[in-house]
Amino acid sequence: MDVLREVGNIGAGNAATALSTLLNKPVDMAVPTVSLLPFEAIADRVGGSEAVVIAIFLRVEGDAPGNMFFIINREPARRILQGLLGFAAAENDMYSELELSALNEIGNILAGSYLSSLADFTGLNMSPTVPSLAVDMAGAILSYGMLQFGTMGDDALLIDTTFLEGQQEADGQFFLIPDPESFDRLFRALGVPL
Amino acid sequence: MTEGTLIKVGMADLNTAEGGAVIKTTGLGSCVGLTLYDPVLRIGGMAHIMLPSSDIARGDQLNVAKYADTALPELLDRLKKMGASPGRLVAKMAGGAQMFAFMGGDSMRIGPRNVEATKQMLDRFSISLIAEDTGGNYGRTVELSTGTGIFTIRSVQFGVKEI
């Protein structure tokens, strides 16, 4: 678990720096948590199965495949868009093409920096697929990350890192759900005896 | 169970209800929410199906609610034990969306595959599917009222719909 927490630390640390550069202000992150959670409980981490979230999803391909989500609530998303585009985003759930594209690109940059630092550190080949964005119920979105675990049991292993901007909590969350067969490779790459 | 009781079905879970109770599952994406209903006895059941076939199951314990091919027989058994007549049962279902469009590969076409597998099972057990709201690229929350048999679907984009 400590090793996997370190995985979250390395990846998200770099992504926080990237976000900070984008926004031109300091972005902190909470200590990553690593937990084996029932499928239901994963959506509870972002407000429950029906909570509407903005999520950027991508598959991690290469030596240690998995699923990655960058999840951001509507309010922080608006602040980020405001900071980045210089005008206020929509008041309701409707986002313009430009805003969606900007959010997708932010997710892309952050996920890319998360993965590249993790790949550097572990020496494993890890590359992101093209990201895809959805604004929808958390349960409907996150269930995609659990399919690989679905064939084995009713729990998935989640590495969860929360971004903080100053004192404002939960600006965004990174979920990394490595495929079950990736653990051996991650552990071995990080020098943990099996 | 009485009118107004709410019975929740989690992910990869199934349950039954009667006496006017409402049975509900939230946040269906690629998963399928399947309901069976006996309109005479007003007994209903719901499964939150995650994967099409238990053939791919690994590990020791099989959660029958998770797979289309095992969830339907289990739901049917439970309803029969409550007195439902298999010949009277009607099915409704929703879900099976493809939330993310770009992906190739089998695992990402899981929504349509869940829908197909569920329909095959309904065929095999000669249960008629009288209404469905499947596909698309959005999430759904669904509930079945055992008092009326009405199946309600809620989504972020399209609001509330009854089938």
Side-chain angles (χ1 to χ4, degrees):
Chain A
M1 287 293 180
D2 279 346
V3 171
L4 294 172
R5 192 172 301 127
E6 191 54 23
V7 164
N9 242 331
I10 295 159
N14 220 34
T17 311
L19 183 59
S20 164
T21 310
L22 272 177
L23 296 176
N24 199 21
K25 57 177 99 154
V27 173
D28 282 333
M29 53 177 245
V31 177
T33 64
V34 178
S35 30
L36 189 64
L37 291 173
F39 296 146
E40 287 289 306
I42 291 186
D44 289 344
R45 287 286 179 95
V46 291
S49 173
E50 277 195 285
V52 177
V53 295
I54 301 162
I56 291 118
F57 168 57
L58 51 90
R59 272 289 288 167
V60 178
E61 293 177 336
D63 295 332
N67 295 305
M68 180 175 265
F69 295 92
F70 177 59
I71 293 160
I72 183 163
N73 292 321
R74 283 174 287 179
E75 192 43 45
R78 212 199 333 256
R79 268 187 279 118
I80 288 175
L81 286 172
Q82 169 105 53
L84 204 64
L85 302 175
F87 57 83
E91 289 295 318
N92 48 27
D93 286 342
M94 306 309 283
Y95 291 85
S96 69
E97 285 292 315
L98 177 65
E99 288 159 350
L100 289 177
S101 149
L103 287 171
N104 205 14
E105 190 51 29
I106 290 167
N108 197 15
I109 291 167
L110 300 187
S113 63
Y114 190 120
L115 284 179
S116 65
S117 59
L118 197 52
D120 284 351
F121 188 75
T122 56
L124 294 172
N125 169 27
M126 297 169 97
S127 57
T129 62
V130 175
S132 183
L133 179 135
V135 184
D136 213 315
M137 298 174 187
I141 288 171
L142 290 171
S143 58
Y144 271 78
M146 303 166 203
L147 295 173
Q148 282 78 10
F149 270 95
T151 60
M152 309 191 49
D154 297 326
D155 301 295
L157 195 132
L158 171 73
I159 303 174
D160 174 358
T161 317
T162 301
F163 286 132
L164 312 163
E165 190 192 330
Q167 296 305 307
Q168 284 160 327
E169 287 239 349
D171 265 2
Q173 268 168 296
F174 251 112
F175 283 5
L176 177 62
I177 306 177
D179 289 358
E181 59 269 26
S182 297
F183 292 112
D184 277 4
R185 294 192 193 135
L186 279 172
F187 287 144
R188 205 166 288 138
L190 292 167
V192 180
L194 291 170
Chain B
M1 272 178 251
T2 53
E3 192 95 26
T5 308
L6 180 67
I7 294 162
K8 284 194 172 178
V9 174
M11 193 173 177
D13 183 19
L14 60 79
N15 215 335
T16 57
E18 59 187 328
V22 168
I23 188 163
K24 175 179 182 175
T25 197
T26 56
L28 289 168
S30 60
C31 298
V32 164
L34 167 71
T35 62
L36 301 182
Y37 182 62
D38 180 331
V40 175
L41 293 183
R42 300 187 178 184
I43 296 172
M46 178 184 279
H48 185 134
I49 294 166
M50 192 179 171
L51 293 164
S53 166
S54 60
D55 290 348
I56 55 170
R58 293 174 281 168
D60 312 331
Q61 298 145 330
L62 180 71
N63 173 0
V64 292
K66 197 190 301 178
Y67 306 96
D69 65 330
T70 49
L72 181 73
E74 172 70 16
L75 203 53
L76 198 56
D77 269 358
R78 291 215 202 167
L79 291 169
K80 277 197 261 183
K81 279 182 191 140
M82 293 166 76
S85 156
R88 273 200 308 259
L89 289 175
V90 289
K92 293 184 182 180
M93 68 179 193
Q98 189 145 1
M99 302 291 297
F100 299 99
F102 64 90
M103 292 290 189
D106 251 13
S107 73
M108 293 309 147
R109 236 184 53 77
I110 201 79
R113 283 171 57 212
N114 281 335
V115 172
E116 284 160 32
T118 305
K119 284 183 178 172
Q120 278 172 13
M121 288 308 291
L122 288 169
D123 264 0
R124 189 175 307 168
F125 286 86
S126 308
I127 298 170
S128 55
L129 179 67
I130 58 170
E132 66 173 303
D133 178 44
T134 54
N137 62 350
Y138 54 92
R140 297 167 171 93
T141 284
V142 299
E143 57 184 54
L144 175 76
S145 157
T146 58
T148 59
I150 291 174
F151 186 83
T152 309
I153 301 138
R154 196 162 64 245
S155 64
V156 175
Q157 295 176 48
F158 302 109
V160 177
K161 177 177 169 184
E162 286 181 357
I163 59 174

